[in-house]
């Protein structure tokens, strides 16, 4: 459970710090979404014309967290996978989206 909270906290930190200009593809609609595949979960947040992504990727016995765009000086964060699965990572990201959307100023 502590690992889930750590991942959620890291995602929240990314939302607050990793905003980049997405003007090349037009302004994205404000909101938060979660997608996943066999090895990764991506949470995409958009607000005020800026979009950021937090990506959690299962890499062997680890979960690697990256941000796009990455804040200057930020390296990927690697933690032991433990009992994390794509399903638990996706559920954590969806909870982060709910919290983000509830806190978003409209």
């Amino acid at each position: 459970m502590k690992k889930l909270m750590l991942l959620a906290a890291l995602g929240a930190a990314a939302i607050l710090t990793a905003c980049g200009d997405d003007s090349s593809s037009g302004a994205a609609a404000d909101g938060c979404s979660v997608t996943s595949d066999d090895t990764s979960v991506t949470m995409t947040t958009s607000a005020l014309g800026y979009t950021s992504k937090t990506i959690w990727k299962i890499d062997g016995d680890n979960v690697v967290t990256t941000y796009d765009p990455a804040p200057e000086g930020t390296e990927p964060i690697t933690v032991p996978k433990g009992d994390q699965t794509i399903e638990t990572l996706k559920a954590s990201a969806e909870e982060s989206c709910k919290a983000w959307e509830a806190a978003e100023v409209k």
Side-chain angles (χ1 to χ4, degrees):
M1 188 66 178
K2 287 182 181 180
K3 290 179 184 175
L4 279 176
M5 295 308 294
L6 173 64
L7 290 174
L10 291 172
I15 291 168
L16 298 174
T17 61
C19 294
D21 186 1
D22 193 29
S23 60
S24 63
S25 62
D30 287 357
C32 185
S33 63
V34 175
T35 58
S36 65
D37 60 27
D38 290 342
T39 61
S40 66
V41 173
T42 301
M43 180 175 72
T44 304
T45 56
S46 298
L48 304 171
Y50 294 95
T51 298
S52 66
K53 294 181 181 184
T54 304
I55 302 107
W56 296 274
K57 183 171 180 57
I58 294 179
D59 184 13
D61 291 335
N62 296 309
V63 175
V64 179
T65 305
T66 56
Y67 306 102
D68 181 20
E72 187 175 328
T74 301
E75 297 292 326
I77 299 167
T78 302
V79 296
K81 182 179 96 157
D83 59 355
Q84 297 294 312
T85 64
I86 291 298
E87 291 77 22
T88 60
L89 292 170
K90 185 174 180 183
S92 178
E94 288 170 344
E95 286 299 315
S96 292
C97 268
K98 287 178 188 175
W100 185 87
E101 288 176 339
E104 183 182 15
V105 177
K106 299 195 185 237

Coordinates of all heavy atoms in Angstrom, one line a residue:
M1 N 0.8 -1.2 0.0 CA 0.0 0.0 0.0 C 0.9 1.3 0.0 O 0.5 2.2 -0.7 CB -0.9 0.0 1.2 CG -2.0 1.0 1.2 SD -3.1 0.8 -0.2 CE -4.2 2.1 0.1
K2 N 2.0 1.2 0.7 CA 2.9 2.4 0.8 C 3.4 2.7 -0.6 O 3.6 3.8 -1.0 CB 4.0 2.1 1.7 CG 3.6 2.2 3.2 CD 4.8 2.0 4.1 CE 4.4 2.0 5.5 NZ 5.5 1.8 6.4
K3 N 3.7 1.6 -1.4 CA 4.2 1.8 -2.8 C 3.1 2.5 -3.6 O 3.5 3.3 -4.4 CB 4.6 0.5 -3.4 CG 5.9 -0.1 -2.7 CD 6.3 -1.4 -3.3 CE 7.5 -1.9 -2.6 NZ 7.8 -3.2 -3.0
L4 N 1.9 2.1 -3.5 CA 0.8 2.7 -4.2 C 0.7 4.2 -3.9 O 0.6 5.1 -4.8 CB -0.5 2.1 -4.0 CG -0.8 0.8 -4.7 CD1 -2.2 0.2 -4.2 CD2 -0.8 1.0 -6.2
M5 N 0.8 4.5 -2.6 CA 0.8 5.9 -2.2 C 2.0 6.7 -2.7 O 1.9 7.9 -3.1 CB 0.7 6.0 -0.7 CG -0.6 5.4 -0.1 SD -2.1 6.1 -0.9 CE -2.0 7.8 -0.3
L6 N 3.2 6.1 -2.7 CA 4.4 6.7 -3.3 C 4.2 7.0 -4.8 O 4.4 8.1 -5.2 CB 5.6 5.8 -3.1 CG 6.9 6.3 -3.7 CD1 7.3 7.6 -3.1 CD2 8.0 5.3 -3.6
L7 N 3.6 6.0 -5.5 CA 3.4 6.3 -6.9 C 2.4 7.3 -7.2 O 2.5 8.2 -8.0 CB 3.0 5.0 -7.6 CG 4.1 3.9 -7.7 CD1 3.5 2.6 -8.2 CD2 5.2 4.4 -8.6
A8 N 1.3 7.4 -6.3 CA 0.3 8.4 -6.5 C 0.9 9.8 -6.2 O 0.6 10.8 -6.8 CB -0.9 8.1 -5.6
A9 N 1.7 9.8 -5.1 CA 2.4 11.1 -4.8 C 3.3 11.6 -5.9 O 3.3 12.8 -6.2 CB 3.1 11.0 -3.4
L10 N 4.0 10.7 -6.5 CA 4.9 11.0 -7.6 C 4.1 11.5 -8.7 O 4.5 12.5 -9.4 CB 5.8 9.9 -8.0 CG 6.8 9.4 -6.9 CD1 7.5 8.1 -7.4 CD2 7.9 10.5 -6.7
G11 N 3.0 10.9 -9.0 CA 2.1 11.4 -10.1 C 1.6 12.7 -9.8 O 1.6 13.6 -10.7
A12 N 1.2 13.0 -8.6 CA 0.7 14.3 -8.2 C 1.8 15.4 -8.4 O 1.5 16.5 -8.9 CB 0.1 14.3 -6.8
A13 N 3.0 15.0 -8.0 CA 4.1 15.9 -8.1 C 4.4 16.2 -9.6 O 4.7 17.4 -10.0 CB 5.4 15.4 -7.5
A14 N 4.2 15.2 -10.4 CA 4.5 15.5 -11.9 C 3.4 16.4 -12.4 O 3.7 17.2 -13.3 CB 4.4 14.1 -12.6
I15 N 2.2 16.2 -12.0 CA 1.1 17.1 -12.5 C 1.4 18.6 -12.2 O 1.2 19.4 -13.0 CB -0.2 16.7 -11.8 CG1 -0.7 15.3 -12.4 CG2 -1.3 17.7 -12.1 CD1 -1.8 14.7 -11.6
L16 N 2.0 18.8 -11.0 CA 2.2 20.2 -10.5 C 3.5 20.7 -11.1 O 3.6 22.0 -11.2 CB 2.3 20.2 -9.0 CG 1.0 19.8 -8.3 CD1 1.3 19.8 -6.8 CD2 -0.1 20.8 -8.6
T17 N 4.4 19.9 -11.6 CA 5.7 20.4 -12.0 C 6.1 20.2 -13.5 O 6.9 20.8 -14.0 CB 6.9 19.9 -11.2 OG1 6.9 18.5 -11.3 CG2 6.7 20.3 -9.7
A18 N 5.5 19.2 -14.1 CA 5.9 18.8 -15.4 C 5.0 19.2 -16.5 O 4.6 18.4 -17.4 CB 6.1 17.2 -15.5
C19 N 4.6 20.4 -16.6 CA 3.8 20.9 -17.6 C 4.6 21.5 -18.7 O 5.5 22.2 -18.6 CB 2.9 22.1 -17.1 SG 1.7 21.5 -15.9
G20 N 4.3 21.0 -20.0 CA 5.0 21.5 -21.1 C 4.1 22.0 -22.2 O 2.9 21.8 -22.1
D21 N 4.6 22.8 -23.1 CA 3.8 23.4 -24.1 C 3.5 22.3 -25.2 O 4.4 21.7 -25.7 CB 4.6 24.5 -24.7 CG 3.8 25.3 -25.7 OD1 2.6 25.0 -25.9 OD2 4.3 26.3 -26.3
D22 N 2.2 22.2 -25.5 CA 1.8 21.2 -26.5 C 1.2 21.9 -27.7 O 0.3 21.4 -28.3 CB 0.7 20.3 -25.8 CG 0.4 19.0 -26.7 OD1 1.3 18.6 -27.4 OD2 -0.7 18.6 -26.6
S23 N 1.8 23.1 -28.0 CA 1.2 23.9 -29.1 C 1.4 23.3 -30.5 O 0.7 23.6 -31.4 CB 1.9 25.3 -29.1 OG 3.3 25.2 -29.2
S24 N 2.3 22.3 -30.6 CA 2.6 21.7 -31.9 C 1.4 20.9 -32.4 O 1.1 20.7 -33.6 CB 3.8 20.9 -31.9 OG 3.6 19.8 -31.0
S25 N 0.6 20.4 -31.5 CA -0.6 19.6 -31.9 C -1.9 20.3 -31.6 O -3.0 19.7 -31.6 CB -0.5 18.2 -31.1 OG -0.6 18.4 -29.8
G26 N -1.9 21.6 -31.3 CA -3.1 22.3 -30.9 C -3.3 22.2 -29.5 O -2.8 21.3 -28.8
A27 N -4.2 23.0 -29.0 CA -4.5 23.0 -27.5 C -5.3 21.7 -27.2 O -6.3 21.4 -27.8 CB -5.3 24.2 -27.2
A28 N -4.9 21.0 -26.2 CA -5.6 19.8 -25.7 C -6.7 20.3 -24.8 O -6.6 21.3 -24.2 CB -4.6 18.9 -25.0
A29 N -7.7 19.4 -24.8 CA -8.8 19.7 -23.9 C -8.4 19.5 -22.5 O -7.6 18.6 -22.2 CB -10.0 18.8 -24.2
D30 N -8.8 20.4 -21.6 CA -8.4 20.2 -20.2 C -9.0 18.9 -19.6 O -10.1 18.5 -19.9 CB -9.0 21.4 -19.3 CG -8.3 22.7 -19.6 OD1 -7.3 22.7 -20.3 OD2 -8.7 23.7 -19.0
G31 N -8.2 18.2 -18.8 CA -8.6 17.0 -18.2 C -7.5 16.0 -17.9 O -6.3 16.3 -18.1
C32 N -7.9 14.8 -17.5 CA -6.9 13.8 -17.1 C -7.4 12.5 -17.7 O -8.6 12.2 -17.6 CB -6.8 13.7 -15.6 SG -5.6 12.6 -15.0
S33 N -6.5 11.7 -18.2 CA -6.9 10.4 -18.8 C -5.8 9.4 -18.5 O -4.6 9.7 -18.3 CB -7.1 10.4 -20.3 OG -5.9 10.8 -21.0
V34 N -6.1 8.1 -18.5 CA -5.2 7.0 -18.2 C -5.3 6.0 -19.3 O -6.4 5.6 -19.7 CB -5.5 6.4 -16.8 CG1 -4.6 5.1 -16.6 CG2 -5.4 7.4 -15.7
T35 N -4.2 5.6 -19.8 CA -4.1 4.5 -20.8 C -3.1 3.5 -20.3 O -2.2 3.8 -19.5 CB -3.7 5.0 -22.2 OG1 -2.4 5.7 -22.1 CG2 -4.8 6.0 -22.8
S36 N -3.2 2.3 -20.9 CA -2.3 1.2 -20.5 C -2.1 0.3 -21.6 O -2.9 0.2 -22.5 CB -2.7 0.5 -19.2 OG -3.9 -0.2 -19.5
D37 N -1.0 -0.5 -21.5 CA -0.7 -1.6 -22.4 C -0.2 -2.7 -21.6 O -0.3 -2.7 -20.3 CB 0.2 -1.2 -23.6 CG 1.6 -0.7 -23.2 OD1 2.0 -1.1 -22.1 OD2 2.2 0.0 -23.9
D38 N 0.5 -3.7 -22.2 CA 1.0 -4.9 -21.4 C 2.0 -4.5 -20.4 O 2.2 -5.3 -19.4 CB 1.5 -5.9 -22.3 CG 0.4 -6.6 -23.2 OD1 -0.8 -6.5 -22.8 OD2 0.8 -7.2 -24.2
T39 N 2.8 -3.5 -20.6 CA 3.9 -3.2 -19.7 C 3.9 -1.8 -19.1 O 4.8 -1.5 -18.3 CB 5.3 -3.4 -20.4 OG1 5.4 -2.5 -21.5 CG2 5.4 -4.8 -20.9
S40 N 3.0 -0.9 -19.4 CA 3.1 0.4 -18.9 C 1.7 1.1 -18.7 O 0.7 0.6 -19.3 CB 3.9 1.3 -19.8 OG 3.3 1.5 -21.1
V41 N 1.7 2.1 -17.9 CA 0.5 2.9 -17.7 C 0.9 4.4 -17.9 O 1.9 4.8 -17.4 CB -0.1 2.7 -16.2 CG1 -1.2 3.7 -15.9 CG2 -0.5 1.3 -16.0
T42 N 0.1 5.1 -18.6 CA 0.3 6.5 -18.9 C -0.8 7.4 -18.4 O -2.0 7.1 -18.7 CB 0.6 6.8 -20.4 OG1 1.7 6.0 -20.8 CG2 0.9 8.2 -20.6
M43 N -0.5 8.4 -17.6 CA -1.5 9.3 -17.1 C -1.2 10.6 -17.8 O -0.1 11.2 -17.7 CB -1.4 9.5 -15.6 CG -2.5 10.5 -15.1 SD -2.5 10.6 -13.3 CE -1.0 11.5 -13.0
T44 N -2.2 11.1 -18.6 CA -2.0 12.4 -19.3 C -2.9 13.5 -18.7 O -4.1 13.2 -18.6 CB -2.3 12.2 -20.8 OG1 -1.5 11.1 -21.3 CG2 -2.1 13.5 -21.6
T45 N -2.3 14.6 -18.4 CA -3.1 15.7 -17.8 C -2.9 16.9 -18.7 O -1.8 17.2 -19.3 CB -2.6 16.1 -16.4 OG1 -1.2 16.4 -16.4 CG2 -2.9 15.0 -15.4
S46 N -4.0 17.6 -19.0 CA -3.9 18.8 -19.8 C -4.7 19.9 -19.1 O -5.8 19.7 -18.6 CB -4.6 18.6 -21.2 OG -3.9 17.6 -21.8
A47 N -4.1 21.1 -19.1 CA -4.8 22.3 -18.5 C -4.1 23.5 -19.1 O -2.9 23.6 -19.3 CB -4.6 22.3 -17.0
L48 N -5.0 24.5 -19.4 CA -4.5 25.8 -19.9 C -3.5 25.7 -21.1 O -2.6 26.5 -21.2 CB -3.9 26.6 -18.8 CG -4.7 26.8 -17.5 CD1 -3.9 27.4 -16.4 CD2 -5.9 27.6 -17.9
G49 N -3.8 24.7 -22.0 CA -2.9 24.6 -23.1 C -1.7 23.8 -22.9 O -0.9 23.7 -23.8
Y50 N -1.4 23.3 -21.7 CA -0.2 22.5 -21.4 C -0.6 21.0 -21.2 O -1.6 20.8 -20.5 CB 0.5 23.0 -20.2 CG 1.1 24.4 -20.5 CD1 0.4 25.6 -20.1 CD2 2.3 24.6 -21.1 CE1 0.9 26.8 -20.3 CE2 2.8 25.8 -21.3 CZ 2.1 26.9 -21.0 OH 2.6 28.2 -21.2
T51 N 0.2 20.1 -21.6 CA 0.0 18.7 -21.4 C 1.2 18.1 -20.8 O 2.3 18.4 -21.2 CB -0.4 18.0 -22.8 OG1 -1.5 18.6 -23.3 CG2 -0.6 16.5 -22.6
S52 N 1.0 17.2 -19.8 CA 2.1 16.4 -19.3 C 1.7 15.0 -19.1 O 0.5 14.7 -19.0 CB 2.6 17.0 -17.9 OG 1.6 16.9 -17.0
K53 N 2.7 14.1 -19.2 CA 2.4 12.7 -19.0 C 3.3 12.1 -17.9 O 4.5 12.5 -17.8 CB 2.7 11.9 -20.3 CG 1.8 12.3 -21.4 CD 2.1 11.5 -22.7 CE 1.2 11.9 -23.8 NZ 1.4 11.1 -25.0
T54 N 2.7 11.2 -17.1 CA 3.5 10.4 -16.2 C 3.4 9.0 -16.7 O 2.3 8.5 -16.9 CB 3.0 10.5 -14.8 OG1 2.9 11.9 -14.4 CG2 3.8 9.8 -13.8
I55 N 4.5 8.3 -16.9 CA 4.5 7.0 -17.4 C 5.2 6.0 -16.4 O 6.3 6.3 -15.9 CB 5.3 6.9 -18.7 CG1 4.7 7.8 -19.8 CG2 5.3 5.5 -19.3 CD1 5.5 9.0 -20.0
W56 N 4.4 5.0 -16.0 CA 4.9 3.9 -15.1 C 5.1 2.7 -16.0 O 4.2 2.2 -16.6 CB 4.0 3.6 -14.0 CG 3.7 4.7 -13.1 CD1 4.5 5.0 -12.0 CD2 2.7 5.7 -13.1 NE1 4.0 6.1 -11.3 CE2 2.8 6.6 -12.0 CE3 1.6 5.9 -14.0 CZ2 2.0 7.6 -11.8 CZ3 0.8 7.0 -13.7 CH2 1.0 7.8 -12.6
K57 N 6.4 2.2 -16.1 CA 6.7 1.0 -16.9 C 7.2 -0.1 -16.0 O 8.2 0.2 -15.3 CB 7.7 1.4 -18.0 CG 8.0 0.3 -18.9 CD 8.8 0.7 -20.1 CE 9.2 -0.4 -21.1 NZ 8.1 -1.1 -21.6
I58 N 6.6 -1.3 -16.2 CA 7.2 -2.4 -15.5 C 8.4 -2.9 -16.3 O 8.2 -3.2 -17.5 CB 6.1 -3.5 -15.3 CG1 5.1 -3.0 -14.3 CG2 6.8 -4.8 -14.7 CD1 3.9 -4.0 -14.0
D59 N 9.5 -2.9 -15.6 CA 10.8 -3.4 -16.3 C 11.4 -4.4 -15.4 O 12.1 -4.1 -14.5 CB 11.7 -2.2 -16.4 CG 13.0 -2.5 -17.2 OD1 13.0 -3.6 -17.8 OD2 13.9 -1.7 -17.2
G60 N 11.1 -5.7 -15.7 CA 11.6 -6.8 -14.9 C 11.0 -6.7 -13.5 O 9.8 -6.7 -13.3
D61 N 11.9 -6.6 -12.5 CA 11.5 -6.6 -11.1 C 11.3 -5.1 -10.6 O 11.2 -4.9 -9.4 CB 12.5 -7.3 -10.2 CG 12.5 -8.8 -10.5 OD1 11.4 -9.3 -10.9 OD2 13.5 -9.5 -10.2
N62 N 11.3 -4.2 -11.5 CA 11.2 -2.8 -11.1 C 10.0 -2.1 -11.8 O 9.5 -2.5 -12.9 CB 12.5 -2.0 -11.5 CG 13.7 -2.5 -10.7 OD1 13.6 -2.7 -9.5 ND2 14.7 -2.9 -11.5
V63 N 9.6 -0.9 -11.2 CA 8.7 0.0 -11.9 C 9.5 1.3 -12.1 O 10.1 1.8 -11.2 CB 7.5 0.3 -11.1 CG1 6.6 1.4 -11.7 CG2 6.6 -1.0 -10.8
V64 N 9.6 1.7 -13.4 CA 10.3 2.9 -13.7 C 9.3 4.0 -14.1 O 8.4 3.8 -14.9 CB 11.2 2.7 -14.9 CG1 12.0 4.0 -15.3 CG2 12.2 1.5 -14.6
T65 N 9.4 5.2 -13.4 CA 8.5 6.3 -13.6 C 9.3 7.4 -14.3 O 10.4 7.8 -13.9 CB 8.0 6.8 -12.2 OG1 7.4 5.8 -11.5 CG2 7.0 8.0 -12.4
T66 N 8.7 7.8 -15.4 CA 9.2 8.9 -16.2 C 8.1 10.0 -16.4 O 7.0 9.7 -16.3 CB 9.8 8.5 -17.6 OG1 8.7 7.8 -18.3 CG2 10.9 7.5 -17.4
Y67 N 8.6 11.2 -16.8 CA 7.7 12.3 -17.0 C 8.0 12.9 -18.4 O 9.1 12.9 -18.8 CB 7.9 13.4 -16.0 CG 7.8 12.9 -14.6 CD1 8.9 12.6 -13.8 CD2 6.5 12.6 -14.0 CE1 8.8 12.1 -12.5 CE2 6.4 12.1 -12.7 CZ 7.5 11.9 -12.0 OH 7.4 11.4 -10.7
D68 N 6.9 13.3 -19.1 CA 7.1 13.9 -20.4 C 6.2 15.1 -20.5 O 5.0 15.0 -20.5 CB 6.7 12.9 -21.5 CG 6.8 13.4 -22.9 OD1 7.6 14.4 -23.1 OD2 6.2 12.9 -23.8
P69 N 6.7 16.3 -20.6 CA 8.2 16.6 -20.6 C 8.7 16.4 -19.1 O 8.0 16.7 -18.2 CB 8.3 18.0 -21.0 CG 7.0 18.6 -20.6 CD 5.9 17.5 -20.7
A70 N 10.0 16.1 -19.0 CA 10.6 15.9 -17.7 C 11.1 17.3 -17.2 O 11.7 18.0 -18.0 CB 11.8 14.9 -17.9
P71 N 10.8 17.6 -16.0 CA 11.4 18.8 -15.4 C 12.9 18.8 -15.5 O 13.5 17.7 -15.4 CB 10.9 18.8 -14.0 CG 9.7 17.9 -14.0 CD 10.0 16.9 -15.0
E72 N 13.5 19.9 -15.7 CA 15.0 20.0 -15.8 C 15.7 19.3 -14.6 O 15.3 19.5 -13.5 CB 15.4 21.4 -15.9 CG 16.9 21.6 -16.2 CD 17.3 23.0 -16.4 OE1 16.4 23.8 -16.9 OE2 18.4 23.4 -16.0
G73 N 16.6 18.4 -15.0 CA 17.4 17.7 -13.9 C 16.7 16.5 -13.4 O 17.2 15.8 -12.5
T74 N 15.5 16.2 -13.9 CA 14.8 15.0 -13.4 C 15.2 13.7 -14.1 O 15.3 13.7 -15.3 CB 13.3 15.2 -13.6 OG1 12.9 16.3 -12.9 CG2 12.5 14.0 -13.1
E75 N 15.5 12.7 -13.4 CA 15.9 11.4 -13.9 C 14.7 10.5 -13.7 O 13.9 10.7 -12.8 CB 17.1 10.9 -13.2 CG 18.4 11.7 -13.4 CD 18.9 11.7 -14.8 OE1 18.8 10.6 -15.5 OE2 19.4 12.7 -15.3
P76 N 14.6 9.4 -14.5 CA 13.6 8.4 -14.2 C 13.7 7.9 -12.8 O 14.8 7.8 -12.2 CB 13.8 7.3 -15.2 CG 14.6 8.0 -16.3 CD 15.4 9.1 -15.7
I77 N 12.6 7.5 -12.2 CA 12.6 7.0 -10.8 C 12.3 5.5 -10.9 O 11.3 5.1 -11.5 CB 11.5 7.7 -10.0 CG1 11.8 9.2 -9.9 CG2 11.4 7.0 -8.6 CD1 10.6 10.0 -9.3
T78 N 13.2 4.7 -10.3 CA 13.1 3.3 -10.3 C 12.9 2.8 -8.9 O 13.7 3.1 -8.0 CB 14.4 2.6 -10.9 OG1 14.6 3.1 -12.3 CG2 14.2 1.1 -11.0
V79 N 11.8 2.0 -8.7 CA 11.5 1.4 -7.4 C 11.3 -0.1 -7.7 O 10.8 -0.5 -8.7 CB 10.3 2.0 -6.7 CG1 10.6 3.5 -6.4 CG2 9.1 1.9 -7.6
P80 N 11.5 -1.0 -6.6 CA 11.2 -2.4 -6.8 C 9.7 -2.6 -7.1 O 8.8 -1.9 -6.5 CB 11.6 -3.0 -5.4 CG 12.5 -2.0 -4.8 CD 12.1 -0.7 -5.4
K81 N 9.4 -3.5 -8.0 CA 8.0 -3.7 -8.4 C 7.2 -4.3 -7.2 O 6.0 -4.0 -7.1 CB 8.0 -4.7 -9.6 CG 6.6 -5.0 -10.1 CD 6.7 -5.9 -11.3 CE 6.4 -7.2 -10.8 NZ 6.0 -8.3 -11.5
G82 N 7.8 -5.2 -6.4 CA 7.0 -5.8 -5.4 C 5.8 -6.5 -6.0 O 5.9 -7.3 -7.0
D83 N 4.6 -6.3 -5.5 CA 3.4 -6.9 -6.0 C 2.6 -6.1 -7.0 O 1.5 -6.4 -7.3 CB 2.5 -7.4 -4.8 CG 2.1 -6.3 -3.9 OD1 2.5 -5.1 -4.1 OD2 1.3 -6.5 -3.0
Q84 N 3.2 -5.0 -7.5 CA 2.6 -4.1 -8.4 C 2.3 -4.9 -9.7 O 3.2 -5.6 -10.2 CB 3.4 -2.9 -8.7 CG 3.7 -2.0 -7.5 CD 2.4 -1.4 -7.1 OE1 1.6 -0.8 -7.9 NE2 2.1 -1.4 -5.8
T85 N 1.2 -4.6 -10.3 CA 0.8 -5.1 -11.6 C 0.3 -3.9 -12.5 O 0.1 -2.8 -12.0 CB -0.3 -6.2 -11.5 OG1 -1.5 -5.5 -11.1 CG2 0.1 -7.3 -10.6
I86 N 0.1 -4.2 -13.7 CA -0.4 -3.1 -14.6 C -1.8 -2.7 -14.0 O -2.1 -1.5 -14.0 CB -0.6 -3.6 -16.1 CG1 0.8 -3.7 -16.7 CG2 -1.4 -2.6 -16.9 CD1 1.6 -2.5 -16.7
E87 N -2.6 -3.6 -13.5 CA -3.9 -3.3 -13.0 C -3.8 -2.4 -11.8 O -4.6 -1.4 -11.7 CB -4.7 -4.6 -12.7 CG -5.1 -5.4 -13.9 CD -3.9 -6.2 -14.5 OE1 -2.9 -6.5 -13.8 OE2 -4.0 -6.5 -15.7
T88 N -2.9 -2.7 -10.9 CA -2.7 -1.8 -9.7 C -2.2 -0.5 -10.0 O -2.6 0.5 -9.4 CB -1.9 -2.5 -8.6 OG1 -0.6 -2.8 -9.1 CG2 -2.5 -3.8 -8.1
L89 N -1.2 -0.4 -11.0 CA -0.7 0.9 -11.4 C -1.8 1.7 -12.1 O -1.9 2.9 -11.8 CB 0.5 0.7 -12.4 CG 1.8 0.1 -11.7 CD1 2.8 -0.3 -12.8 CD2 2.4 1.0 -10.7
K90 N -2.6 1.0 -12.9 CA -3.7 1.8 -13.6 C -4.7 2.3 -12.6 O -5.2 3.4 -12.7 CB -4.3 0.8 -14.6 CG -5.4 1.6 -15.4 CD -5.9 0.7 -16.5 CE -7.0 1.4 -17.3 NZ -7.6 0.6 -18.4
A91 N -5.0 1.5 -11.6 CA -6.0 1.9 -10.6 C -5.5 3.1 -9.8 O -6.2 4.1 -9.5 CB -6.3 0.8 -9.6
S92 N -4.2 3.1 -9.5 CA -3.6 4.2 -8.8 C -3.6 5.5 -9.6 O -3.9 6.6 -9.2 CB -2.1 3.9 -8.4 OG -1.5 4.9 -7.8
A93 N -3.3 5.3 -10.9 CA -3.3 6.5 -11.8 C -4.7 7.0 -12.0 O -4.9 8.3 -12.0 CB -2.7 6.1 -13.2
E94 N -5.7 6.2 -12.0 CA -7.1 6.6 -12.1 C -7.5 7.4 -10.9 O -8.2 8.4 -11.0 CB -8.0 5.4 -12.4 CG -7.8 4.9 -13.8 CD -8.5 3.6 -14.1 OE1 -8.9 2.9 -13.1 OE2 -8.7 3.2 -15.3
E95 N -7.0 7.0 -9.7 CA -7.3 7.7 -8.5 C -6.7 9.1 -8.5 O -7.2 10.1 -8.1 CB -6.9 6.9 -7.3 CG -7.8 5.7 -6.9 CD -9.2 6.1 -6.6 OE1 -9.4 7.1 -5.9 OE2 -10.1 5.5 -7.2
S96 N -5.4 9.1 -9.0 CA -4.7 10.4 -9.2 C -5.5 11.3 -10.1 O -5.6 12.5 -9.8 CB -3.3 10.2 -9.7 OG -2.5 9.5 -8.7
C97 N -6.0 10.8 -11.2 CA -6.8 11.6 -12.1 C -8.1 12.2 -11.4 O -8.4 13.3 -11.6 CB -7.3 10.8 -13.3 SG -6.1 10.9 -14.7
K98 N -8.7 11.3 -10.6 CA -9.9 11.8 -9.9 C -9.6 12.9 -9.0 O -10.3 14.0 -8.9 CB -10.6 10.7 -9.1 CG -11.3 9.6 -10.0 CD -11.8 8.5 -9.1 CE -12.4 7.4 -9.9 NZ -12.8 6.3 -9.1
A99 N -8.5 12.8 -8.3 CA -8.0 13.9 -7.4 C -7.6 15.1 -8.1 O -8.0 16.2 -7.7 CB -6.8 13.4 -6.5
W100 N -7.0 15.0 -9.3 CA -6.6 16.1 -10.1 C -7.8 16.8 -10.6 O -7.9 18.0 -10.6 CB -5.7 15.6 -11.2 CG -5.1 16.7 -12.1 CD1 -4.0 17.4 -11.9 CD2 -5.7 17.2 -13.3 NE1 -3.8 18.3 -12.9 CE2 -4.9 18.2 -13.8 CE3 -6.9 16.9 -14.0 CZ2 -5.1 19.0 -14.9 CZ3 -7.1 17.7 -15.2 CH2 -6.2 18.6 -15.6
E101 N -8.7 16.1 -11.1 CA -9.9 16.7 -11.7 C -10.8 17.4 -10.6 O -11.4 18.4 -10.8 CB -10.8 15.7 -12.5 CG -10.1 15.3 -13.8 CD -10.8 14.2 -14.6 OE1 -11.6 13.4 -14.0 OE2 -10.5 14.2 -15.8
A102 N -10.8 16.8 -9.4 CA -11.5 17.4 -8.3 C -10.9 18.7 -7.9 O -11.6 19.7 -7.4 CB -11.6 16.5 -7.1
A103 N -9.6 18.8 -8.0 CA -8.8 20.0 -7.5 C -8.7 21.0 -8.6 O -8.3 22.2 -8.3 CB -7.5 19.6 -7.0
E104 N -8.9 20.7 -9.9 CA -8.7 21.6 -11.0 C -9.6 22.8 -10.9 O -10.8 22.7 -10.6 CB -8.9 20.9 -12.3 CG -8.7 21.8 -13.5 CD -8.9 21.1 -14.8 OE1 -9.6 20.0 -14.8 OE2 -8.5 21.6 -15.8
V105 N -9.1 24.0 -11.0 CA -9.9 25.2 -11.0 C -10.4 25.4 -12.4 O -9.7 25.4 -13.4 CB -9.0 26.4 -10.7 CG1 -9.8 27.7 -10.7 CG2 -8.4 26.2 -9.3
K106 N -11.7 25.6 -12.5 CA -12.4 25.7 -13.8 C -12.8 27.1 -14.1 O -13.1 27.9 -13.3 CB -13.5 24.8 -13.9 CG -13.1 23.3 -13.7 CD -14.1 22.4 -14.2 CE -13.6 21.0 -13.9 NZ -13.5 20.0 -14.8

